[in-house]
Amino acid sequence: MKQILSKLRRAIQDFNMIQDGDRIAVGLSGGKDSTLLLLALNQYRKFSPQKFELCAVTISMGLEGYDPSPLIELCKKEDITYKIIDTQIGEILFNVRKEKNPCSLCAKMRRGVLHDAAKELGCNKVALGHHSNDAIETFLMSLLYEGRINTFSPVTYLSIKDLYLIRPMVYVSEKDIIGTVNKLNLPIVKNPCPANGHTQRQYMKDLVKQIKLDIPQAEDNILGALMNIEQLNIWDKSKISSLCNGINKDEN
Ligand SMILES: Nc1ncnc2c1ncn2[C@@H]1O[C@H](COP(=O)(O)OP(=O)(O)OP(=O)(O)O)[C@@H](O)[C@H]1O
């Protein structure tokens, strides 16, 4: 946990994620990432230079077999205000619309409910459990499926809702999360989603695993590239076409 807290603190400070008086809702899916995030943020609160409040919100998708009772116990033990929002998102996607690729619509609907719930709880920020491997996979998905150089940001401001999204685990790897969750024996709630494990993200995970067999430092290099905006060497038409006219010569 010490190592997780140190990386969490570094990300919070590097990206100036938390201010005095913040009220932060942790999006608690019950998976390993957000469960550890909740515990880590609650511990960080005790030595953080900024004083902030914490609560947790779970969006229940209405899927059979989802049992959030271990999360209720956990929040009680940690003395964290906890709210479960019941929805019919699962029913709408799988039984009414019979979506073949439900993941992006599901995420959109879930996010909308989560943001509204956070506002209703009087929060100005939502903390999400995305970690460094998520950032790498999202980057590769954008590149390979959408032709964009992009990944999520450690901090996003949603002007329509006047709400900040923060991702304090961006420096933490999935491997470290799994290790810590197992060591602390944290209660993880099984996700009964039928699409779970058959997604583009899973394909990216497998791909990175494969690449790492030949290039062990590949993940570190991709993460390094995300932070290195000066080295963003992409084809800038206007800049390159002016090069032979003697303009911008020194910069290239
Ligand atoms: N049903 C939900 N209720 C509340 N927050 C959620 C829910 N699903 C996802 N989130 C938030 O969004 C983040 C990213 O979602 P994603 O679907 O990648 O998470 P997950 O893999 O299902 O679960 P976890 O990240 O907790 O292991 C989660 O870490 C969590 O903070």
Side-chain angles (χ1 to χ4, degrees):
M1 191 63 161
K2 224 169 147 189
Q3 195 201 7
I4 303 281
L5 275 173
S6 141
K7 290 190 173 172
L8 180 116
R9 178 173 57 184
R10 194 153 56 81
I12 289 172
Q13 289 175 352
D14 279 1
F15 298 107
N16 194 22
M17 288 183 187
I18 296 179
Q19 275 70 40
D20 262 326
D22 277 349
R23 195 170 155 78
I24 302 174
V26 174
L28 184 62
S29 71
K32 60 186 184 343
D33 311 329
S34 53
T35 304
L36 187 62
L37 169 68
L38 182 71
L39 277 192
L41 269 181
N42 205 28
Q43 291 200 16
Y44 174 72
R45 227 156 68 89
K46 297 181 183 132
F47 60 87
S48 163
Q50 290 81 27
K51 295 297 148 219
F52 64 95
E53 285 180 52
L54 210 56
C55 61
V57 182
T58 293
I59 311 304
S60 167
M61 315 299 280
L63 292 167
E64 214 172 294
Y66 184 74
D67 175 16
S69 46
L71 304 175
I72 300 173
E73 281 292 306
L74 182 75
C75 289
K76 206 164 153 192
K77 191 169 146 233
E78 293 286 316
D79 198 20
I80 293 170
T81 304
Y82 180 41
K83 192 155 173 102
I84 300 173
I85 311 281
D86 289 314
T87 74
Q88 294 303 311
I89 295 176
E91 167 73 13
I92 296 167
L93 292 177
F94 293 109
N95 298 334
V96 179
R97 294 178 59 122
K98 299 192 185 342
E99 289 282 334
K100 285 210 174 67
N101 300 303
C103 296
S104 69
L105 183 58
C106 176
K108 210 169 167 182
M109 292 169 84
R110 204 175 11 159
R111 277 197 297 262
V113 180
L114 177 61
H115 300 161
D116 289 343
K119 290 296 285 188
E120 270 168 36
L121 282 166
C123 295
N124 62 328
K125 288 182 182 164
V126 171
L128 301 168
H130 294 108
H131 47 70
S132 64
N133 295 83
D134 284 329
I136 293 169
E137 288 152 16
T138 304
F139 173 75
L140 291 175
M141 277 157 64
S142 294
L143 186 69
L144 300 178
Y145 289 106
E146 300 165 13
R148 290 192 304 145
I149 294 179
N150 180 56
T151 191
F152 55 76
S153 166
V155 180
T156 313
Y157 176 62
L158 302 177
S159 54
I160 305 173
K161 301 246 164 101
D162 188 23
L163 192 68
Y164 290 89
L165 307 182
I166 60 171
R167 296 174 168 97
M169 306 268 265
V170 281
Y171 287 160
V172 183
S173 71
E174 185 166 29
K175 188 166 150 265
D176 287 346
I177 291 177
I178 294 171
T180 310
V181 163
N182 289 340
K183 205 166 160 189
L184 299 177
N185 204 11
L186 292 183
I188 299 308
V189 174
K190 203 176 148 266
N191 180 358
C193 175
N196 205 17
H198 303 285
T199 57
Q200 289 179 352
R201 184 168 294 279
Q202 186 58 45
Y203 177 61
M204 287 302 127
K205 266 190 205 305
D206 297 341
L207 191 65
V208 173
K209 212 166 158 186
Q210 192 63 33
I211 291 171
K212 273 177 66 184
L213 294 177
D214 291 327
I215 314 170
Q217 72 281 19
E219 281 177 330
D220 288 343
N221 284 345
I222 297 175
L223 263 189
L226 291 180
M227 304 276 283
N228 193 346
I229 52 165
E230 273 109 49
Q231 292 293 316
L232 185 63
N233 287 324
I234 51 173
W235 294 353
D236 180 337
K237 255 193 236 164
S238 71
K239 207 166 149 190
I240 296 169
S241 58
S242 61
L243 195 62
C244 289
N245 295 336
I247 307 165
N248 293 332
K249 241 183 188 170
D250 297 336
E251 292 176 25
N252 287 274

